[in-house]
Amino acid sequence: MSYRFMRMLLFFDLPSVTNSDLKEYRKFRKFLIENGFSMLQESVYSKLLLHNTASHMMLEKLQKNKPEKGSVCVLIITEKQYQKMVLLIGELKGTFLETDERLVIL
């Protein structure tokens, strides 16, 4: 495992009271999915990045597409740190990369 791989964790809490709030939520969630984020929990998304420069580029994209209201937080850690995550209860749902063992870089 190389330490150059990074994992971006994105946490958000957006209002969903009005129709325009729901529209902003759907727009932001669609942006995340189209840009390679996978859902870990309802408002927690993860993305595997090749290196620190890619994480800075993704942060710039997020800045340009952030919702007007609510809270969005980003945490960037190494893939090695991400693999140390412990699941205490429940099960992992969704499709996301758990390892880079068979990752092909073109």
Side-chain angles (χ1 to χ4, degrees):
M1 168 64 59
S2 172
Y3 284 96
R4 69 185 181 129
F5 291 105
M6 307 297 289
R7 186 69 71 147
M8 180 177 282
L9 299 172
L10 185 131
F11 312 88
F12 66 90
D13 186 18
L14 303 179
S16 58
V17 178
T18 66
N19 285 339
S20 63
D21 289 342
L22 290 171
K23 184 177 179 180
E24 280 292 309
Y25 167 82
R26 286 190 300 268
K27 180 181 171 186
F28 185 64
R29 186 176 181 282
K30 183 178 178 182
F31 165 79
L32 293 176
I33 293 168
E34 287 175 350
N35 282 277
F37 282 87
S38 298
M39 185 171 67
L40 293 177
Q41 293 182 353
E42 282 197 30
S43 294
V44 180
Y45 284 72
S46 168
K47 178 178 174 71
L48 181 66
L49 300 162
L50 295 178
H51 43 71
N52 202 27
T53 305
S55 68
H56 291 300
M57 291 171 50
M58 192 64 231
L59 271 175
E60 288 177 15
K61 273 182 132 176
L62 285 165
Q63 282 287 347
K64 292 177 183 173
N65 292 281
K66 66 184 179 208
E68 291 182 20
K69 300 178 189 173
S71 172
V72 179
C73 300
V74 175
L75 175 65
I76 301 171
I77 58 176
T78 65
E79 185 62 16
K80 187 84 165 174
Q81 291 168 324
Y82 180 79
Q83 288 180 350
K84 291 181 181 180
M85 181 172 41
V86 177
L87 179 65
L88 296 177
I89 188 168
E91 61 184 58
L92 294 174
K93 295 182 179 178
T95 58
F96 59 92
L97 294 172
E98 294 179 22
T99 179
D100 69 342
E101 191 174 308
R102 297 195 60 178
L103 182 66
V104 177
I105 301 170
L106 300 175

